Each structure stands twice: as structure tokens, then as C-alpha cells.
Amino acid sequence: MNHNQSIRRWLTPMITIILFGSVIGVTFFFLGFQGTLLSILFILCFVPVIVSLQRGSFDLLEPIIVYTAFMLMFAIAIFDRVYLQDPFLRYSEVVSTDFSTAFLLITTLYVIFFALVLVGYYIDISRFIAIPQIYPTNVQHNSNILRKMGYLYMFLGSVFYLVLVSSALGGNLFLLFTSTRPRSSIFAGSYHLQLGAQLLHLGYTVWFVSILADNKKPKIRHLVPVGPIVVAFFLLGGRGSALGIIVNFIVLIYYSTIYGLLDIKTSGLTFVQDKFHQWVKTLTIPIAGAVIAVTVLLTGSLRRNRTITEAIVNMDLVRLLTAGIHNDTLDSLIATLEVVPEQFGFYWGTFVFRVPLNWIPRSIWSEKPVLTVGSKFRRVILPNQSGGRPPGEIGRFYVDLGYPGIVIGALVTGLVLRYLYELLRKNGHSPMFLFIYSTSLFLISMNGLTNNVLWNSMSSMILLLPIIFLDGIYWK
């Protein structure tokens, strides 16, 4: 390395540090400590995009970029609460600190947490852990087996769905939109039916994967059933499930027809392949995301307000930008930091062991411990109400191990996201792996490593085991 190269090597990071320090200094002078912290959080949200662009192969659905999109929502929500709304704390009866101190604390936690997630993600994990190649490079899935299993799953899922509607909803598909009863009460004792109903959309996705396994690009008619299936699960009150189904197909289509991980040869959805059109195609995903966010927010308001007019009136720009991630999680986190460990103690890393216990029905074990921190918090603080009050992944890690748990949890989250991406790099040539990958990507990127995410991921994998097993037997 010559002298000029050595100077350039050190000059870029020095200039970056000077510029970053100058921005932070000016921000602190005008906005104080709270504004500075929030500015740092916003800046951190642009780091993954910059790194991906500098790498030369921008991947819109890279795990850290998807994760950052949801972190940006929290940054916007904090900004809104601090600067645009009247200061209030939802659980002021259990929170002893004032509004400014409480939000200064959680802003600090979000900055530290996300910074450590980035540190964990950008560690070259392949130096320490062997990344397995689950599917050989020349793997040829037996599309006929996948297609048949898809049909079988769709049939079984339809049966479970109809029985669920008949038993829990009394045959009224719109019960959740006309009843004031909480969803948890309506579906009490029906979780096995809800789980079985998942076979419907899993089967359809496996059928869709069989098309990709034939090296065919999907046609528009292949995507038509997505609409009715999404609506079917939305009517069960599962906005998250409906959104997950859409995201699964976005991931499959993106990596097969836009990013080009799969070797697709025959005709179907044909796109122009130059770089400009590649960017145009990629931009359709955030546009679709914006449409989905509006739909999620509007339908959520319909459940609470009952009329379209009230739902539209209650929509504002911040709620649109955060898809409704606005107050609940932030307030629940503040309250959780206050009441733990005084009102219920730390779990010292054992809370995660509750995940497999969720397979045991309460009809068999009536005293089964609750699965999530939000459910535990609600039972302790709001015993006369229903549902959960999730404090997000920061609250989840805090309940396990206090502030050290938040640090460890952030690093582990970053490492897990990076491990997922390394797996994709080695196995992305397999449409079956893309399906397995997509089910985990959305859940972890949206909610982090919470118990709900671990439970839903484990449930999906268990339901898919027969297909994964048969697919492995009949590789060509």
C-alpha cells in the first residue's frame, strides 16, 4: 500500500467522524439531550441502507433493512409523542417518573439497543460459525410432490377454518367486527383450530413454490387466490397473519423475479432486466407496503370505531407512517421498566422456556404460565382487562435480565438477523428455502426475538415438517 492509499484509507473515517460530531454538536445546542438522542436514532436508521448501497448490491429485503424499517417507525412514534402531542403517560398510576424523564430513558434505550443490533449484524459471523448449505447448489425439488402436499394442506386447512368459524364465531364471519367481546374471549379454547386453519395459507404457498421449483415464473392467475386467503384470515381478526401471508409472497416474488436468486427460465411475469427497470420494480415493494399500512390502520380503526367515517377521521400522517405502532408499545415499555422487578421479578433468561409450553392446552393445564411479557404485565397491572400490553423486544429482554439483558438481547438479535442472511446467501437458489426463510424474516424483522415470534416460527416449522421431510426424500 503506497503513501496516498494509506492517507485515503484513514481520511474517509476521520471526515465521517468530524461531520457526525459536528451534526450532533449543533443538534445538542438547539434541541438538547432528548433531541440529540432522537437525531442519533434517526441517523442510525439510515446506516443499513448506506452500507448496502456501498456494497454495490442493494437488497431491499435484507433482514437488517426490513428490521430498520420497523425501528424507524418507533423513532417517528417517539418524535410524535415528545414534540407533537400533549405529554401524557398511559399508565401514570404505576409510573412514578414524569413524562420527560420517561421518554428520555426509552429514547436512550432505543438508541443503545439499535446501535448494538447493528454491531451484532455487521460482525462477520461466518468467521466463528459454519454457515450450512442446507440445499445443494444443483438441487431440483420434486414439484409434483410439493404440488400434491399443497393441495392436501389447503384441503385440511379449509376444514379447520370452517369448523373454527362454525364453533368460535357461531357461523358469523363478521362477528369480530360487530361484537364488543375481546378476540381472546371469542377464540378461547379454539387455538388448535386456529393452528389447523394455518394449513390453508401454508398449503397455497407450497403450491406456489412448486411453480418456482419447475423453473417457471408465476403468472398473474397464480396470485389471484392470495386476495381471498388474506381476507379469510383477516376476518378472524388476525391482521398480523394476513400481513404475514402478503409478505411471504412479496419475498418469494422479489427474490425469484426481481433480485434473481432463482434460475427461472420459462415465461410468465416477464420484466425488463436493465438497471433502471430493476430499481422501478424494487420501488413497487415500499409502495405496496404503504398501501398495506393504510389498510392495516384503517381496518384496525374500524374494529374500534365501527364506522368508516370515524376510522378515516382518526387517521393522521404519523399513524400512517408507523402503521399504528404509535403509543401502546412505548407506554407499556415505560410501565414495564417501572414495575419490574418490584411487582414481578426478573426471569433470568427463563422466560423463553415458556414457548414450548404453549402447546399444552389450558383445558389440560389451567395454571399454565402466560407466554408473553405483555400478557404477564396486563395480568399484574390491569387484572380486570383482557388481551396483552406488549412492551416490545426491549421490554422482553428487560424482564429476563434487566438492563444487561437488553444489551445481550440486542447483540443476539443482530447476530440472528445476520445468520438468516448468510443462510440465504448459501441456500437462496432453493425456492423451498426461500419459503422457510420468508416465514422467519417477517416475524423477526417486525417484532424481534419475542416469545410470540419464537412461538409462531416454531409452529410454522412444525406444520411444515412433513413437507420438508418429503421434499428431502424426493430431491432429484
Short mmCIF file of all heavy atoms in Angstrom, two decimals, residues 47-72:
data_model
loop_
_atom_site.label_atom_id
_atom_site.label_comp_id
_atom_site.label_asym_id
_atom_site.label_seq_id
_atom_site.Cartn_x
_atom_site.Cartn_y
_atom_site.Cartn_z
N VAL A 47 -28.10 3.88 8.35
CA VAL A 47 -26.83 3.15 8.21
C VAL A 47 -26.96 1.90 7.34
O VAL A 47 -26.16 1.70 6.41
CB VAL A 47 -26.25 2.81 9.60
CG1 VAL A 47 -25.09 1.82 9.48
CG2 VAL A 47 -25.80 4.08 10.31
N PRO A 48 -27.96 1.02 7.58
CA PRO A 48 -28.04 -0.20 6.75
C PRO A 48 -28.21 0.07 5.26
O PRO A 48 -27.64 -0.64 4.43
CB PRO A 48 -29.25 -0.93 7.33
CG PRO A 48 -29.36 -0.45 8.73
CD PRO A 48 -28.97 1.00 8.66
N VAL A 49 -29.00 1.09 4.92
CA VAL A 49 -29.20 1.41 3.50
C VAL A 49 -27.89 1.89 2.88
O VAL A 49 -27.52 1.48 1.78
CB VAL A 49 -30.29 2.49 3.35
CG1 VAL A 49 -30.39 2.95 1.90
CG2 VAL A 49 -31.63 1.96 3.84
N ILE A 50 -27.15 2.75 3.62
CA ILE A 50 -25.88 3.27 3.10
C ILE A 50 -24.88 2.13 2.91
O ILE A 50 -24.20 2.04 1.88
CB ILE A 50 -25.32 4.33 4.06
CG1 ILE A 50 -26.24 5.56 4.08
CG2 ILE A 50 -23.91 4.74 3.66
CD1 ILE A 50 -25.87 6.59 5.14
N VAL A 51 -24.80 1.24 3.90
CA VAL A 51 -23.88 0.11 3.80
C VAL A 51 -24.23 -0.78 2.62
O VAL A 51 -23.36 -1.21 1.86
CB VAL A 51 -23.88 -0.71 5.12
CG1 VAL A 51 -23.08 -2.00 4.95
CG2 VAL A 51 -23.31 0.11 6.26
N SER A 52 -25.53 -1.04 2.44
CA SER A 52 -25.97 -1.90 1.34
C SER A 52 -25.66 -1.27 -0.02
O SER A 52 -25.22 -1.95 -0.95
CB SER A 52 -27.47 -2.20 1.47
OG SER A 52 -27.88 -3.12 0.49
N LEU A 53 -25.87 0.04 -0.14
CA LEU A 53 -25.58 0.72 -1.40
C LEU A 53 -24.08 0.73 -1.69
O LEU A 53 -23.66 0.54 -2.84
CB LEU A 53 -26.11 2.16 -1.35
CG LEU A 53 -27.63 2.33 -1.41
CD1 LEU A 53 -28.03 3.76 -1.13
CD2 LEU A 53 -28.16 1.88 -2.78
N GLN A 54 -23.26 0.93 -0.66
CA GLN A 54 -21.82 0.93 -0.85
C GLN A 54 -21.31 -0.45 -1.25
O GLN A 54 -20.32 -0.58 -1.96
CB GLN A 54 -21.11 1.39 0.42
CG GLN A 54 -21.21 2.89 0.68
CD GLN A 54 -20.42 3.32 1.90
OE1 GLN A 54 -20.18 2.53 2.81
NE2 GLN A 54 -19.99 4.58 1.91
N ARG A 55 -22.01 -1.48 -0.80
CA ARG A 55 -21.63 -2.84 -1.13
C ARG A 55 -21.84 -3.13 -2.62
O ARG A 55 -21.27 -4.05 -3.18
CB ARG A 55 -22.43 -3.81 -0.27
CG ARG A 55 -21.93 -5.24 -0.25
CD ARG A 55 -22.66 -6.04 0.81
NE ARG A 55 -24.10 -5.96 0.62
CZ ARG A 55 -24.99 -5.95 1.61
NH1 ARG A 55 -24.57 -5.99 2.86
NH2 ARG A 55 -26.27 -5.90 1.36
N GLY A 56 -22.72 -2.35 -3.25
CA GLY A 56 -22.93 -2.49 -4.69
C GLY A 56 -24.04 -3.42 -5.10
O GLY A 56 -24.32 -3.56 -6.28
N SER A 57 -24.67 -4.08 -4.15
CA SER A 57 -25.78 -5.00 -4.48
C SER A 57 -26.92 -4.75 -3.50
O SER A 57 -27.12 -5.53 -2.58
CB SER A 57 -25.32 -6.46 -4.41
OG SER A 57 -24.80 -6.75 -3.12
N PHE A 58 -27.63 -3.66 -3.70
CA PHE A 58 -28.68 -3.26 -2.77
C PHE A 58 -29.79 -4.29 -2.74
O PHE A 58 -30.35 -4.65 -3.77
CB PHE A 58 -29.25 -1.90 -3.17
CG PHE A 58 -30.32 -1.42 -2.24
CD1 PHE A 58 -30.02 -0.98 -0.97
CD2 PHE A 58 -31.65 -1.42 -2.64
CE1 PHE A 58 -31.01 -0.54 -0.10
CE2 PHE A 58 -32.65 -0.99 -1.79
CZ PHE A 58 -32.32 -0.55 -0.52
N ASP A 59 -30.06 -4.79 -1.54
CA ASP A 59 -31.10 -5.79 -1.34
C ASP A 59 -32.15 -5.19 -0.42
O ASP A 59 -31.94 -5.06 0.79
CB ASP A 59 -30.50 -7.05 -0.73
CG ASP A 59 -31.52 -8.17 -0.56
OD1 ASP A 59 -32.72 -7.92 -0.80
OD2 ASP A 59 -31.13 -9.29 -0.18
N LEU A 60 -33.30 -4.82 -1.00
CA LEU A 60 -34.33 -4.14 -0.22
C LEU A 60 -34.86 -5.00 0.92
O LEU A 60 -35.27 -4.48 1.96
CB LEU A 60 -35.48 -3.75 -1.16
CG LEU A 60 -36.66 -3.00 -0.52
CD1 LEU A 60 -36.20 -1.65 0.03
CD2 LEU A 60 -37.79 -2.81 -1.52
N LEU A 61 -34.84 -6.32 0.75
CA LEU A 61 -35.38 -7.21 1.77
C LEU A 61 -34.29 -7.86 2.61
O LEU A 61 -34.53 -8.88 3.26
CB LEU A 61 -36.26 -8.27 1.14
CG LEU A 61 -37.53 -7.76 0.45
CD1 LEU A 61 -38.38 -8.91 -0.05
CD2 LEU A 61 -38.35 -6.87 1.37
N GLU A 62 -33.09 -7.29 2.61
CA GLU A 62 -32.05 -7.75 3.53
C GLU A 62 -32.60 -7.62 4.96
O GLU A 62 -33.22 -6.61 5.30
CB GLU A 62 -30.78 -6.92 3.37
CG GLU A 62 -29.63 -7.37 4.25
CD GLU A 62 -28.37 -6.56 4.02
OE1 GLU A 62 -28.34 -5.73 3.09
OE2 GLU A 62 -27.42 -6.76 4.78
N PRO A 63 -32.42 -8.62 5.81
CA PRO A 63 -33.05 -8.60 7.14
C PRO A 63 -32.85 -7.32 7.93
O PRO A 63 -33.79 -6.81 8.53
CB PRO A 63 -32.41 -9.80 7.85
CG PRO A 63 -32.08 -10.74 6.75
CD PRO A 63 -31.69 -9.88 5.58
N ILE A 64 -31.64 -6.77 7.91
CA ILE A 64 -31.38 -5.57 8.72
C ILE A 64 -32.12 -4.37 8.16
O ILE A 64 -32.53 -3.47 8.91
CB ILE A 64 -29.86 -5.27 8.81
CG1 ILE A 64 -29.59 -4.22 9.89
CG2 ILE A 64 -29.31 -4.85 7.46
CD1 ILE A 64 -30.00 -4.62 11.28
N ILE A 65 -32.36 -4.34 6.85
CA ILE A 65 -33.09 -3.22 6.25
C ILE A 65 -34.58 -3.31 6.60
O ILE A 65 -35.22 -2.31 6.94
CB ILE A 65 -32.87 -3.18 4.72
CG1 ILE A 65 -31.41 -2.81 4.43
CG2 ILE A 65 -33.82 -2.19 4.05
CD1 ILE A 65 -31.05 -2.74 2.97
N VAL A 66 -35.14 -4.53 6.53
CA VAL A 66 -36.54 -4.71 6.92
C VAL A 66 -36.71 -4.38 8.40
O VAL A 66 -37.66 -3.70 8.80
CB VAL A 66 -37.00 -6.15 6.63
CG1 VAL A 66 -38.45 -6.35 7.05
CG2 VAL A 66 -36.84 -6.47 5.14
N TYR A 67 -35.78 -4.87 9.22
CA TYR A 67 -35.82 -4.60 10.66
C TYR A 67 -35.74 -3.09 10.93
O TYR A 67 -36.47 -2.55 11.77
CB TYR A 67 -34.65 -5.32 11.34
CG TYR A 67 -34.61 -5.16 12.84
CD1 TYR A 67 -35.26 -6.06 13.68
CD2 TYR A 67 -33.90 -4.11 13.44
CE1 TYR A 67 -35.23 -5.92 15.06
CE2 TYR A 67 -33.87 -3.97 14.81
CZ TYR A 67 -34.52 -4.87 15.61
OH TYR A 67 -34.48 -4.72 16.98
N THR A 68 -34.88 -2.41 10.19
CA THR A 68 -34.70 -0.96 10.37
C THR A 68 -35.96 -0.19 10.02
O THR A 68 -36.26 0.84 10.63
CB THR A 68 -33.52 -0.47 9.51
OG1 THR A 68 -32.33 -1.14 9.93
CG2 THR A 68 -33.32 1.03 9.68
N ALA A 69 -36.72 -0.68 9.05
CA ALA A 69 -37.97 -0.01 8.68
C ALA A 69 -38.91 0.06 9.87
O ALA A 69 -39.56 1.09 10.12
CB ALA A 69 -38.63 -0.74 7.51
N PHE A 70 -38.99 -1.03 10.65
CA PHE A 70 -39.85 -1.03 11.83
C PHE A 70 -39.23 -0.21 12.96
O PHE A 70 -39.95 0.42 13.74
CB PHE A 70 -40.12 -2.46 12.28
CG PHE A 70 -41.00 -3.22 11.35
CD1 PHE A 70 -40.48 -4.10 10.41
CD2 PHE A 70 -42.38 -3.04 11.38
CE1 PHE A 70 -41.30 -4.79 9.53
CE2 PHE A 70 -43.21 -3.72 10.50
CZ PHE A 70 -42.68 -4.59 9.57
N MET A 71 -37.90 -0.20 13.06
CA MET A 71 -37.25 0.65 14.06
C MET A 71 -37.49 2.13 13.74
O MET A 71 -37.69 2.95 14.65
CB MET A 71 -35.75 0.35 14.09
CG MET A 71 -34.98 1.12 15.15
SD MET A 71 -35.55 0.82 16.85
CE MET A 71 -35.15 -0.93 17.04
N LEU A 72 -37.50 2.47 12.46
CA LEU A 72 -37.79 3.85 12.05
C LEU A 72 -39.19 4.25 12.48
O LEU A 72 -39.43 5.41 12.86
CB LEU A 72 -37.62 3.98 10.54
CG LEU A 72 -37.88 5.37 9.93
CD1 LEU A 72 -36.90 6.39 10.51
CD2 LEU A 72 -37.75 5.31 8.41
#
